Amino acid sequence: KQEVTQIPAALSVPEGENLVLNCSFTDSAIYNLQWFRQDPGKGLTSLLLIQSSQREQTSGRLNASLDKSSGRSTLYIAASQPGDSATYLCVVNDYKLSFGAGTTVTVRA
Amino acid sequence: NAGVTQTPKFQVLKTGQSMTLQCAQDMNHEYMSWYRQDPGMGLRLIHYSVGAGITDQGEVPNGYNVSRSTTEDFPLRLLSAAPSQTSVYFCASTQTGSGYTFGSGTRLTVV
C-alpha cells in the first residue's frame, strides 16, 4: 500500500523567506504526483502536476521536483507572502490516489 | 468556468434522513470520484466511476450509493444519514494524462 509522508507538519516563516516542503512515498511505481493547496474550509486547488517521466515543474514562484527512484518530491515556494498561508497536500497517483497529511504553512507579515 | 461543481455547499440532516450530494463537471472527464475528509484521517475514497454506467466502491462505501448516467454528473446518495457521516465531501474528476480537479466541497452535519 502506498504511504505518503509530508515533513514538516507545520511551518511558520517571516514574509520573504523561501519555503521548502517535503513529500516522500513508499512505492516508486507512480503515474504522476500532484501538489495541492487547501485554505481553511475550502476545497483543494491544484498547484503543480508532475508526470512520472518528468523531473520538475514550475509555475511562477512555485517549483516542484520529483525523484521517483528515491520516492521523494519537494515543493519550493520562492519569496513567500502572507497569501501563501495554507495547507499544502502532496497527492501520489499510482492509479489510486494516496494523500499526505499536509504541511500547514503560516507566513508572518 | 470549467471545473467541478458541487451542491449544496452546506447541509444539516437529521439522523435517518436521506439526501443526494450533486457533482457536475464540464471538462468531459471520464473518471469521477467521491472523497470524504475528516480531521486526522485525510481524504478517503468513497466511490468512483471510470465512465458513464460504470461505478465501483472505494475505501469507505458503506451507507452511500452512486450512479453515473451521464459523463457530466456523478451524484452521491446518503441512504439513511448517521452522525458518523458528518464530514466534508469532495468530488473530483480526471482523465488520462491530466491531474485531478476537485470541487469546493459539501460540509455535511448529521444531528
PDB file of all heavy atoms in Angstrom, chain A residues 19-25 30 32-35 48-59 62-77 90 92:
ATOM      1  N   LEU A  19      10.244  28.797   0.965  1.00  0.00           N
ATOM      2  CA  LEU A  19       9.648  27.641   1.636  1.00  0.00           C
ATOM      3  C   LEU A  19      10.087  26.355   0.942  1.00  0.00           C
ATOM      4  O   LEU A  19      10.160  26.314  -0.299  1.00  0.00           O
ATOM      5  CB  LEU A  19       8.120  27.725   1.575  1.00  0.00           C
ATOM      6  CG  LEU A  19       7.459  28.836   2.385  1.00  0.00           C
ATOM      7  CD1 LEU A  19       6.001  28.998   1.967  1.00  0.00           C
ATOM      8  CD2 LEU A  19       7.546  28.535   3.867  1.00  0.00           C
ATOM      9  N   VAL A  20      10.363  25.326   1.738  1.00  0.00           N
ATOM     10  CA  VAL A  20      10.715  24.014   1.207  1.00  0.00           C
ATOM     11  C   VAL A  20       9.830  22.981   1.893  1.00  0.00           C
ATOM     12  O   VAL A  20       9.933  22.771   3.112  1.00  0.00           O
ATOM     13  CB  VAL A  20      12.193  23.673   1.447  1.00  0.00           C
ATOM     14  CG1 VAL A  20      12.507  22.292   0.874  1.00  0.00           C
ATOM     15  CG2 VAL A  20      13.093  24.736   0.832  1.00  0.00           C
ATOM     16  N   LEU A  21       8.957  22.349   1.121  1.00  0.00           N
ATOM     17  CA  LEU A  21       8.024  21.362   1.656  1.00  0.00           C
ATOM     18  C   LEU A  21       8.383  20.001   1.071  1.00  0.00           C
ATOM     19  O   LEU A  21       8.537  19.871  -0.146  1.00  0.00           O
ATOM     20  CB  LEU A  21       6.585  21.726   1.281  1.00  0.00           C
ATOM     21  CG  LEU A  21       6.149  23.155   1.591  1.00  0.00           C
ATOM     22  CD1 LEU A  21       4.698  23.365   1.200  1.00  0.00           C
ATOM     23  CD2 LEU A  21       6.363  23.490   3.051  1.00  0.00           C
ATOM     24  N   ASN A  22       8.486  19.016   1.936  1.00  0.00           N
ATOM     25  CA  ASN A  22       8.938  17.697   1.515  1.00  0.00           C
ATOM     26  C   ASN A  22       7.826  16.660   1.528  1.00  0.00           C
ATOM     27  O   ASN A  22       6.949  16.675   2.397  1.00  0.00           O
ATOM     28  CB  ASN A  22      10.066  17.222   2.432  1.00  0.00           C
ATOM     29  CG  ASN A  22      11.280  18.108   2.330  1.00  0.00           C
ATOM     30  OD1 ASN A  22      11.879  18.231   1.275  1.00  0.00           O
ATOM     31  ND2 ASN A  22      11.639  18.743   3.441  1.00  0.00           N
ATOM     32  N   CYS A  23       7.910  15.758   0.563  1.00  0.00           N
ATOM     33  CA  CYS A  23       6.942  14.679   0.433  1.00  0.00           C
ATOM     34  C   CYS A  23       7.724  13.411   0.081  1.00  0.00           C
ATOM     35  O   CYS A  23       8.568  13.433  -0.818  1.00  0.00           O
ATOM     36  CB  CYS A  23       5.934  15.005  -0.664  1.00  0.00           C
ATOM     37  SG  CYS A  23       4.815  13.658  -1.130  1.00  0.00           S
ATOM     38  N   SER A  24       7.445  12.329   0.794  1.00  0.00           N
ATOM     39  CA  SER A  24       8.065  11.048   0.454  1.00  0.00           C
ATOM     40  C   SER A  24       6.971   9.995   0.279  1.00  0.00           C
ATOM     41  O   SER A  24       5.916  10.064   0.923  1.00  0.00           O
ATOM     42  CB  SER A  24       9.059  10.621   1.527  1.00  0.00           C
ATOM     43  OG  SER A  24       8.389  10.430   2.760  1.00  0.00           O
ATOM     44  N   PHE A  25       7.226   9.039  -0.598  1.00  0.00           N
ATOM     45  CA  PHE A  25       6.268   7.981  -0.862  1.00  0.00           C
ATOM     46  C   PHE A  25       7.005   6.650  -0.957  1.00  0.00           C
ATOM     47  O   PHE A  25       8.197   6.605  -1.281  1.00  0.00           O
ATOM     48  CB  PHE A  25       5.443   8.269  -2.124  1.00  0.00           C
ATOM     49  CG  PHE A  25       6.231   8.693  -3.321  1.00  0.00           C
ATOM     50  CD1 PHE A  25       6.640   7.775  -4.272  1.00  0.00           C
ATOM     51  CD2 PHE A  25       6.559  10.033  -3.509  1.00  0.00           C
ATOM     52  CE1 PHE A  25       7.352   8.161  -5.389  1.00  0.00           C
ATOM     53  CE2 PHE A  25       7.285  10.445  -4.620  1.00  0.00           C
ATOM     54  CZ  PHE A  25       7.686   9.505  -5.562  1.00  0.00           C
ATOM     55  N   ILE A  30       4.728   5.123  -9.775  1.00  0.00           N
ATOM     56  CA  ILE A  30       3.614   6.067  -9.771  1.00  0.00           C
ATOM     57  C   ILE A  30       3.312   6.540 -11.182  1.00  0.00           C
ATOM     58  O   ILE A  30       4.153   6.477 -12.085  1.00  0.00           O
ATOM     59  CB  ILE A  30       3.905   7.282  -8.861  1.00  0.00           C
ATOM     60  CG1 ILE A  30       5.045   8.126  -9.421  1.00  0.00           C
ATOM     61  CG2 ILE A  30       4.228   6.807  -7.443  1.00  0.00           C
ATOM     62  CD1 ILE A  30       5.219   9.446  -8.690  1.00  0.00           C
ATOM     63  N   ASN A  32       1.634   9.767 -11.623  1.00  0.00           N
ATOM     64  CA  ASN A  32       2.007  11.170 -11.507  1.00  0.00           C
ATOM     65  C   ASN A  32       1.899  11.598 -10.048  1.00  0.00           C
ATOM     66  O   ASN A  32       1.473  10.810  -9.184  1.00  0.00           O
ATOM     67  CB  ASN A  32       1.170  12.083 -12.421  1.00  0.00           C
ATOM     68  CG  ASN A  32      -0.326  11.988 -12.164  1.00  0.00           C
ATOM     69  OD1 ASN A  32      -0.774  11.972 -11.027  1.00  0.00           O
ATOM     70  ND2 ASN A  32      -1.105  11.919 -13.227  1.00  0.00           N
ATOM     71  N   LEU A  33       2.305  12.816  -9.762  1.00  0.00           N
ATOM     72  CA  LEU A  33       2.235  13.378  -8.415  1.00  0.00           C
ATOM     73  C   LEU A  33       1.727  14.797  -8.543  1.00  0.00           C
ATOM     74  O   LEU A  33       2.119  15.533  -9.460  1.00  0.00           O
ATOM     75  CB  LEU A  33       3.615  13.335  -7.754  1.00  0.00           C
ATOM     76  CG  LEU A  33       3.727  13.803  -6.298  1.00  0.00           C
ATOM     77  CD1 LEU A  33       4.826  13.015  -5.573  1.00  0.00           C
ATOM     78  CD2 LEU A  33       3.983  15.283  -6.170  1.00  0.00           C
ATOM     79  N   GLN A  34       0.850  15.181  -7.645  1.00  0.00           N
ATOM     80  CA  GLN A  34       0.225  16.491  -7.734  1.00  0.00           C
ATOM     81  C   GLN A  34       0.339  17.187  -6.380  1.00  0.00           C
ATOM     82  O   GLN A  34       0.139  16.552  -5.328  1.00  0.00           O
ATOM     83  CB  GLN A  34      -1.254  16.320  -8.118  1.00  0.00           C
ATOM     84  CG  GLN A  34      -1.882  17.472  -8.832  1.00  0.00           C
ATOM     85  CD  GLN A  34      -3.219  17.098  -9.480  1.00  0.00           C
ATOM     86  OE1 GLN A  34      -3.618  15.937  -9.544  1.00  0.00           O
ATOM     87  NE2 GLN A  34      -3.931  18.100  -9.970  1.00  0.00           N
ATOM     88  N   TRP A  35       0.660  18.479  -6.421  1.00  0.00           N
ATOM     89  CA  TRP A  35       0.648  19.303  -5.222  1.00  0.00           C
ATOM     90  C   TRP A  35      -0.608  20.166  -5.241  1.00  0.00           C
ATOM     91  O   TRP A  35      -0.931  20.799  -6.263  1.00  0.00           O
ATOM     92  CB  TRP A  35       1.887  20.195  -5.158  1.00  0.00           C
ATOM     93  CG  TRP A  35       3.140  19.481  -4.754  1.00  0.00           C
ATOM     94  CD1 TRP A  35       4.074  18.911  -5.562  1.00  0.00           C
ATOM     95  CD2 TRP A  35       3.599  19.286  -3.409  1.00  0.00           C
ATOM     96  NE1 TRP A  35       5.078  18.359  -4.811  1.00  0.00           N
ATOM     97  CE2 TRP A  35       4.825  18.583  -3.496  1.00  0.00           C
ATOM     98  CE3 TRP A  35       3.112  19.634  -2.147  1.00  0.00           C
ATOM     99  CZ2 TRP A  35       5.560  18.219  -2.362  1.00  0.00           C
ATOM    100  CZ3 TRP A  35       3.850  19.291  -1.023  1.00  0.00           C
ATOM    101  CH2 TRP A  35       5.046  18.580  -1.139  1.00  0.00           C
ATOM    102  N   LEU A  48       0.623  22.170  -8.945  1.00  0.00           N
ATOM    103  CA  LEU A  48       1.529  21.618  -9.936  1.00  0.00           C
ATOM    104  C   LEU A  48       1.261  20.128 -10.094  1.00  0.00           C
ATOM    105  O   LEU A  48       0.971  19.429  -9.115  1.00  0.00           O
ATOM    106  CB  LEU A  48       2.999  21.820  -9.514  1.00  0.00           C
ATOM    107  CG  LEU A  48       3.523  23.256  -9.546  1.00  0.00           C
ATOM    108  CD1 LEU A  48       4.861  23.345  -8.823  1.00  0.00           C
ATOM    109  CD2 LEU A  48       3.655  23.758 -10.977  1.00  0.00           C
ATOM    110  N   LEU A  49       1.380  19.662 -11.331  1.00  0.00           N
ATOM    111  CA  LEU A  49       1.265  18.245 -11.662  1.00  0.00           C
ATOM    112  C   LEU A  49       2.576  17.813 -12.285  1.00  0.00           C
ATOM    113  O   LEU A  49       3.054  18.459 -13.233  1.00  0.00           O
ATOM    114  CB  LEU A  49       0.125  18.020 -12.652  1.00  0.00           C
ATOM    115  CG  LEU A  49       0.035  16.635 -13.311  1.00  0.00           C
ATOM    116  CD1 LEU A  49      -0.368  15.591 -12.271  1.00  0.00           C
ATOM    117  CD2 LEU A  49      -0.948  16.654 -14.473  1.00  0.00           C
ATOM    118  N   ILE A  50       3.167  16.742 -11.742  1.00  0.00           N
ATOM    119  CA  ILE A  50       4.392  16.207 -12.309  1.00  0.00           C
ATOM    120  C   ILE A  50       4.118  14.798 -12.795  1.00  0.00           C
ATOM    121  O   ILE A  50       3.756  13.918 -11.999  1.00  0.00           O
ATOM    122  CB  ILE A  50       5.542  16.150 -11.273  1.00  0.00           C
ATOM    123  CG1 ILE A  50       5.689  17.486 -10.547  1.00  0.00           C
ATOM    124  CG2 ILE A  50       6.859  15.802 -11.953  1.00  0.00           C
ATOM    125  CD1 ILE A  50       6.757  17.449  -9.462  1.00  0.00           C
ATOM    126  N   GLN A  51       4.298  14.563 -14.082  1.00  0.00           N
ATOM    127  CA  GLN A  51       4.129  13.217 -14.614  1.00  0.00           C
ATOM    128  C   GLN A  51       5.328  12.372 -14.201  1.00  0.00           C
ATOM    129  O   GLN A  51       6.406  12.886 -13.896  1.00  0.00           O
ATOM    130  CB  GLN A  51       4.003  13.257 -16.140  1.00  0.00           C
ATOM    131  CG  GLN A  51       2.859  14.112 -16.654  1.00  0.00           C
ATOM    132  CD  GLN A  51       1.494  13.506 -16.389  1.00  0.00           C
ATOM    133  OE1 GLN A  51       1.374  12.388 -15.900  1.00  0.00           O
ATOM    134  NE2 GLN A  51       0.444  14.258 -16.700  1.00  0.00           N
ATOM    135  N   SER A  52       5.163  11.053 -14.236  1.00  0.00           N
ATOM    136  CA  SER A  52       6.214  10.153 -13.750  1.00  0.00           C
ATOM    137  C   SER A  52       7.490  10.279 -14.572  1.00  0.00           C
ATOM    138  O   SER A  52       8.588   9.997 -14.080  1.00  0.00           O
ATOM    139  CB  SER A  52       5.729   8.702 -13.780  1.00  0.00           C
ATOM    140  OG  SER A  52       5.432   8.322 -15.115  1.00  0.00           O
ATOM    141  N   SER A  53       7.380  10.726 -15.824  1.00  0.00           N
ATOM    142  CA  SER A  53       8.554  10.855 -16.692  1.00  0.00           C
ATOM    143  C   SER A  53       9.274  12.188 -16.511  1.00  0.00           C
ATOM    144  O   SER A  53      10.327  12.406 -17.111  1.00  0.00           O
ATOM    145  CB  SER A  53       8.135  10.716 -18.152  1.00  0.00           C
ATOM    146  OG  SER A  53       7.179  11.719 -18.477  1.00  0.00           O
ATOM    147  N   GLN A  54       8.701  13.089 -15.704  1.00  0.00           N
ATOM    148  CA  GLN A  54       9.274  14.422 -15.528  1.00  0.00           C
ATOM    149  C   GLN A  54      10.086  14.500 -14.247  1.00  0.00           C
ATOM    150  O   GLN A  54       9.853  13.752 -13.295  1.00  0.00           O
ATOM    151  CB  GLN A  54       8.163  15.474 -15.516  1.00  0.00           C
ATOM    152  CG  GLN A  54       7.391  15.543 -16.827  1.00  0.00           C
ATOM    153  CD  GLN A  54       6.222  16.500 -16.771  1.00  0.00           C
ATOM    154  OE1 GLN A  54       5.500  16.557 -15.760  1.00  0.00           O
ATOM    155  NE2 GLN A  54       6.006  17.255 -17.837  1.00  0.00           N
ATOM    156  N   ARG A  55      11.009  15.459 -14.223  1.00  0.00           N
ATOM    157  CA  ARG A  55      11.832  15.672 -13.029  1.00  0.00           C
ATOM    158  C   ARG A  55      11.364  16.885 -12.240  1.00  0.00           C
ATOM    159  O   ARG A  55      11.599  16.968 -11.040  1.00  0.00           O
ATOM    160  CB  ARG A  55      13.282  15.882 -13.436  1.00  0.00           C
ATOM    161  CG  ARG A  55      13.884  14.722 -14.179  1.00  0.00           C
ATOM    162  CD  ARG A  55      14.257  13.607 -13.248  1.00  0.00           C
ATOM    163  NE  ARG A  55      15.359  13.962 -12.356  1.00  0.00           N
ATOM    164  CZ  ARG A  55      15.947  13.101 -11.541  1.00  0.00           C
ATOM    165  NH1 ARG A  55      15.534  11.851 -11.496  1.00  0.00           N
ATOM    166  NH2 ARG A  55      16.939  13.477 -10.778  1.00  0.00           N
ATOM    167  N   GLU A  56      10.758  17.848 -12.934  1.00  0.00           N
ATOM    168  CA  GLU A  56      10.276  19.029 -12.219  1.00  0.00           C
ATOM    169  C   GLU A  56       9.239  19.781 -13.038  1.00  0.00           C
ATOM    170  O   GLU A  56       9.110  19.585 -14.253  1.00  0.00           O
ATOM    171  CB  GLU A  56      11.434  19.964 -11.852  1.00  0.00           C
ATOM    172  CG  GLU A  56      12.098  20.643 -13.014  1.00  0.00           C
ATOM    173  CD  GLU A  56      13.154  21.643 -12.530  1.00  0.00           C
ATOM    174  OE1 GLU A  56      13.226  21.941 -11.326  1.00  0.00           O
ATOM    175  OE2 GLU A  56      13.902  22.127 -13.378  1.00  0.00           O
ATOM    176  N   GLN A  57       8.496  20.635 -12.327  1.00  0.00           N
ATOM    177  CA  GLN A  57       7.528  21.522 -12.954  1.00  0.00           C
ATOM    178  C   GLN A  57       7.617  22.869 -12.242  1.00  0.00           C
ATOM    179  O   GLN A  57       7.880  22.936 -11.040  1.00  0.00           O
ATOM    180  CB  GLN A  57       6.101  20.969 -12.810  1.00  0.00           C
ATOM    181  CG  GLN A  57       5.718  19.935 -13.829  1.00  0.00           C
ATOM    182  CD  GLN A  57       5.508  20.498 -15.211  1.00  0.00           C
ATOM    183  OE1 GLN A  57       5.230  21.680 -15.382  1.00  0.00           O
ATOM    184  NE2 GLN A  57       5.673  19.653 -16.215  1.00  0.00           N
ATOM    185  N   THR A  58       7.372  23.923 -13.008  1.00  0.00           N
ATOM    186  CA  THR A  58       7.462  25.270 -12.451  1.00  0.00           C
ATOM    187  C   THR A  58       6.242  26.080 -12.853  1.00  0.00           C
ATOM    188  O   THR A  58       5.749  25.957 -13.981  1.00  0.00           O
ATOM    189  CB  THR A  58       8.731  25.979 -12.962  1.00  0.00           C
ATOM    190  OG1 THR A  58       9.876  25.244 -12.518  1.00  0.00           O
ATOM    191  CG2 THR A  58       8.818  27.399 -12.431  1.00  0.00           C
ATOM    192  N   SER A  59       5.783  26.893 -11.902  1.00  0.00           N
ATOM    193  CA  SER A  59       4.708  27.832 -12.194  1.00  0.00           C
ATOM    194  C   SER A  59       4.921  29.055 -11.317  1.00  0.00           C
ATOM    195  O   SER A  59       4.739  29.008 -10.107  1.00  0.00           O
ATOM    196  CB  SER A  59       3.345  27.203 -11.897  1.00  0.00           C
ATOM    197  OG  SER A  59       2.306  28.146 -12.107  1.00  0.00           O
ATOM    198  N   LEU A  62       6.484  28.951  -7.794  1.00  0.00           N
ATOM    199  CA  LEU A  62       6.447  27.561  -7.352  1.00  0.00           C
ATOM    200  C   LEU A  62       7.269  26.668  -8.263  1.00  0.00           C
ATOM    201  O   LEU A  62       7.224  26.801  -9.486  1.00  0.00           O
ATOM    202  CB  LEU A  62       5.002  27.063  -7.346  1.00  0.00           C
ATOM    203  CG  LEU A  62       4.125  27.359  -6.125  1.00  0.00           C
ATOM    204  CD1 LEU A  62       3.975  28.850  -5.882  1.00  0.00           C
ATOM    205  CD2 LEU A  62       2.769  26.704  -6.273  1.00  0.00           C
ATOM    206  N   ASN A  63       8.004  25.758  -7.618  1.00  0.00           N
ATOM    207  CA  ASN A  63       8.752  24.749  -8.350  1.00  0.00           C
ATOM    208  C   ASN A  63       8.637  23.440  -7.595  1.00  0.00           C
ATOM    209  O   ASN A  63       8.828  23.407  -6.376  1.00  0.00           O
ATOM    210  CB  ASN A  63      10.230  25.155  -8.476  1.00  0.00           C
ATOM    211  CG  ASN A  63      11.071  24.054  -9.090  1.00  0.00           C
ATOM    212  OD1 ASN A  63      11.532  23.151  -8.401  1.00  0.00           O
ATOM    213  ND2 ASN A  63      11.266  24.118 -10.397  1.00  0.00           N
ATOM    214  N   ALA A  64       8.302  22.377  -8.317  1.00  0.00           N
ATOM    215  CA  ALA A  64       8.216  21.066  -7.681  1.00  0.00           C
ATOM    216  C   ALA A  64       9.145  20.107  -8.395  1.00  0.00           C
ATOM    217  O   ALA A  64       9.187  20.087  -9.633  1.00  0.00           O
ATOM    218  CB  ALA A  64       6.785  20.543  -7.722  1.00  0.00           C
ATOM    219  N   SER A  65       9.887  19.330  -7.623  1.00  0.00           N
ATOM    220  CA  SER A  65      10.775  18.330  -8.178  1.00  0.00           C
ATOM    221  C   SER A  65      10.258  16.941  -7.839  1.00  0.00           C
ATOM    222  O   SER A  65       9.509  16.759  -6.877  1.00  0.00           O
ATOM    223  CB  SER A  65      12.186  18.509  -7.627  1.00  0.00           C
ATOM    224  OG  SER A  65      12.186  18.248  -6.235  1.00  0.00           O
ATOM    225  N   LEU A  66      10.668  15.974  -8.661  1.00  0.00           N
ATOM    226  CA  LEU A  66      10.265  14.592  -8.435  1.00  0.00           C
ATOM    227  C   LEU A  66      11.463  13.686  -8.655  1.00  0.00           C
ATOM    228  O   LEU A  66      12.115  13.748  -9.705  1.00  0.00           O
ATOM    229  CB  LEU A  66       9.140  14.187  -9.397  1.00  0.00           C
ATOM    230  CG  LEU A  66       8.720  12.711  -9.369  1.00  0.00           C
ATOM    231  CD1 LEU A  66       8.120  12.345  -8.006  1.00  0.00           C
ATOM    232  CD2 LEU A  66       7.714  12.410 -10.480  1.00  0.00           C
ATOM    233  N   ASP A  67      11.758  12.852  -7.659  1.00  0.00           N
ATOM    234  CA  ASP A  67      12.782  11.820  -7.773  1.00  0.00           C
ATOM    235  C   ASP A  67      12.097  10.499  -7.458  1.00  0.00           C
ATOM    236  O   ASP A  67      11.966  10.112  -6.293  1.00  0.00           O
ATOM    237  CB  ASP A  67      13.928  12.101  -6.808  1.00  0.00           C
ATOM    238  CG  ASP A  67      15.065  11.097  -6.967  1.00  0.00           C
ATOM    239  OD1 ASP A  67      14.841  10.035  -7.570  1.00  0.00           O
ATOM    240  OD2 ASP A  67      16.170  11.365  -6.487  1.00  0.00           O
ATOM    241  N   LYS A  68      11.657   9.826  -8.508  1.00  0.00           N
ATOM    242  CA  LYS A  68      10.907   8.584  -8.304  1.00  0.00           C
ATOM    243  C   LYS A  68      11.737   7.511  -7.636  1.00  0.00           C
ATOM    244  O   LYS A  68      11.259   6.770  -6.783  1.00  0.00           O
ATOM    245  CB  LYS A  68      10.395   8.054  -9.651  1.00  0.00           C
ATOM    246  CG  LYS A  68       9.073   8.578 -10.076  1.00  0.00           C
ATOM    247  CD  LYS A  68       8.416   7.708 -11.125  1.00  0.00           C
ATOM    248  CE  LYS A  68       9.363   7.144 -12.145  1.00  0.00           C
ATOM    249  NZ  LYS A  68       8.689   6.244 -13.090  1.00  0.00           N
ATOM    250  N   SER A  69      13.008   7.421  -8.024  1.00  0.00           N
ATOM    251  CA  SER A  69      13.848   6.329  -7.531  1.00  0.00           C
ATOM    252  C   SER A  69      14.012   6.390  -6.027  1.00  0.00           C
ATOM    253  O   SER A  69      14.095   5.357  -5.355  1.00  0.00           O
ATOM    254  CB  SER A  69      15.203   6.353  -8.222  1.00  0.00           C
ATOM    255  OG  SER A  69      15.865   7.571  -7.963  1.00  0.00           O
ATOM    256  N   SER A  70      14.041   7.605  -5.482  1.00  0.00           N
ATOM    257  CA  SER A  70      14.175   7.737  -4.029  1.00  0.00           C
ATOM    258  C   SER A  70      12.838   7.971  -3.350  1.00  0.00           C
ATOM    259  O   SER A  70      12.777   8.096  -2.129  1.00  0.00           O
ATOM    260  CB  SER A  70      15.131   8.878  -3.682  1.00  0.00           C
ATOM    261  OG  SER A  70      14.582  10.120  -4.083  1.00  0.00           O
ATOM    262  N   GLY A  71      11.768   8.067  -4.129  1.00  0.00           N
ATOM    263  CA  GLY A  71      10.444   8.264  -3.567  1.00  0.00           C
ATOM    264  C   GLY A  71      10.264   9.613  -2.907  1.00  0.00           C
ATOM    265  O   GLY A  71       9.725   9.696  -1.799  1.00  0.00           O
ATOM    266  N   ARG A  72      10.722  10.664  -3.599  1.00  0.00           N
ATOM    267  CA  ARG A  72      10.650  11.993  -2.991  1.00  0.00           C
ATOM    268  C   ARG A  72      10.179  13.052  -3.978  1.00  0.00           C
ATOM    269  O   ARG A  72      10.503  13.011  -5.167  1.00  0.00           O
ATOM    270  CB  ARG A  72      12.008  12.405  -2.446  1.00  0.00           C
ATOM    271  CG  ARG A  72      12.484  11.592  -1.282  1.00  0.00           C
ATOM    272  CD  ARG A  72      13.817  12.103  -0.767  1.00  0.00           C
ATOM    273  NE  ARG A  72      14.284  11.292   0.350  1.00  0.00           N
ATOM    274  CZ  ARG A  72      15.406  11.513   1.008  1.00  0.00           C
ATOM    275  NH1 ARG A  72      16.179  12.524   0.674  1.00  0.00           N
ATOM    276  NH2 ARG A  72      15.753  10.726   2.008  1.00  0.00           N
ATOM    277  N   SER A  73       9.452  14.015  -3.434  1.00  0.00           N
ATOM    278  CA  SER A  73       9.110  15.226  -4.173  1.00  0.00           C
ATOM    279  C   SER A  73       9.263  16.408  -3.229  1.00  0.00           C
ATOM    280  O   SER A  73       9.008  16.286  -2.022  1.00  0.00           O
ATOM    281  CB  SER A  73       7.676  15.172  -4.695  1.00  0.00           C
ATOM    282  OG  SER A  73       7.334  16.370  -5.366  1.00  0.00           O
ATOM    283  N   THR A  74       9.692  17.521  -3.766  1.00  0.00           N
ATOM    284  CA  THR A  74       9.863  18.732  -2.973  1.00  0.00           C
ATOM    285  C   THR A  74       9.168  19.886  -3.662  1.00  0.00           C
ATOM    286  O   THR A  74       9.303  20.062  -4.875  1.00  0.00           O
ATOM    287  CB  THR A  74      11.351  19.060  -2.785  1.00  0.00           C
ATOM    288  OG1 THR A  74      12.001  17.943  -2.160  1.00  0.00           O
ATOM    289  CG2 THR A  74      11.526  20.286  -1.912  1.00  0.00           C
ATOM    290  N   LEU A  75       8.416  20.639  -2.890  1.00  0.00           N
ATOM    291  CA  LEU A  75       7.765  21.856  -3.389  1.00  0.00           C
ATOM    292  C   LEU A  75       8.512  23.060  -2.830  1.00  0.00           C
ATOM    293  O   LEU A  75       8.667  23.186  -1.603  1.00  0.00           O
ATOM    294  CB  LEU A  75       6.303  21.913  -2.959  1.00  0.00           C
ATOM    295  CG  LEU A  75       5.524  23.173  -3.380  1.00  0.00           C
ATOM    296  CD1 LEU A  75       5.391  23.252  -4.901  1.00  0.00           C
ATOM    297  CD2 LEU A  75       4.143  23.215  -2.722  1.00  0.00           C
ATOM    298  N   TYR A  76       9.014  23.904  -3.720  1.00  0.00           N
ATOM    299  CA  TYR A  76       9.697  25.129  -3.340  1.00  0.00           C
ATOM    300  C   TYR A  76       8.785  26.313  -3.642  1.00  0.00           C
ATOM    301  O   TYR A  76       8.243  26.410  -4.743  1.00  0.00           O
ATOM    302  CB  TYR A  76      10.996  25.311  -4.128  1.00  0.00           C
ATOM    303  CG  TYR A  76      11.996  24.212  -3.984  1.00  0.00           C
ATOM    304  CD1 TYR A  76      11.979  23.117  -4.841  1.00  0.00           C
ATOM    305  CD2 TYR A  76      12.980  24.266  -2.997  1.00  0.00           C
ATOM    306  CE1 TYR A  76      12.896  22.099  -4.714  1.00  0.00           C
ATOM    307  CE2 TYR A  76      13.912  23.242  -2.879  1.00  0.00           C
ATOM    308  CZ  TYR A  76      13.862  22.169  -3.739  1.00  0.00           C
ATOM    309  OH  TYR A  76      14.778  21.157  -3.613  1.00  0.00           O
ATOM    310  N   ILE A  77       8.633  27.192  -2.674  1.00  0.00           N
ATOM    311  CA  ILE A  77       7.904  28.433  -2.893  1.00  0.00           C
ATOM    312  C   ILE A  77       8.865  29.573  -2.611  1.00  0.00           C
ATOM    313  O   ILE A  77       9.349  29.733  -1.479  1.00  0.00           O
ATOM    314  CB  ILE A  77       6.661  28.539  -1.990  1.00  0.00           C
ATOM    315  CG1 ILE A  77       5.740  27.335  -2.226  1.00  0.00           C
ATOM    316  CG2 ILE A  77       5.914  29.850  -2.263  1.00  0.00           C
ATOM    317  CD1 ILE A  77       4.522  27.305  -1.319  1.00  0.00           C
ATOM    318  N   CYS A  90       0.430  16.827  -0.704  1.00  0.00           N
ATOM    319  CA  CYS A  90       1.107  16.035  -1.730  1.00  0.00           C
ATOM    320  C   CYS A  90       0.212  14.832  -2.021  1.00  0.00           C
ATOM    321  O   CYS A  90      -0.181  14.115  -1.091  1.00  0.00           O
ATOM    322  CB  CYS A  90       2.468  15.596  -1.204  1.00  0.00           C
ATOM    323  SG  CYS A  90       3.335  14.419  -2.257  1.00  0.00           S
ATOM    324  N   VAL A  92      -0.160  11.411  -4.400  1.00  0.00           N
ATOM    325  CA  VAL A  92       0.512  10.482  -5.301  1.00  0.00           C
ATOM    326  C   VAL A  92      -0.534   9.638  -6.025  1.00  0.00           C
ATOM    327  O   VAL A  92      -1.451   9.106  -5.400  1.00  0.00           O
ATOM    328  CB  VAL A  92       1.471   9.567  -4.505  1.00  0.00           C
ATOM    329  CG1 VAL A  92       2.072   8.502  -5.414  1.00  0.00           C
ATOM    330  CG2 VAL A  92       2.561  10.409  -3.857  1.00  0.00           C
TER     331      VAL A  92
END
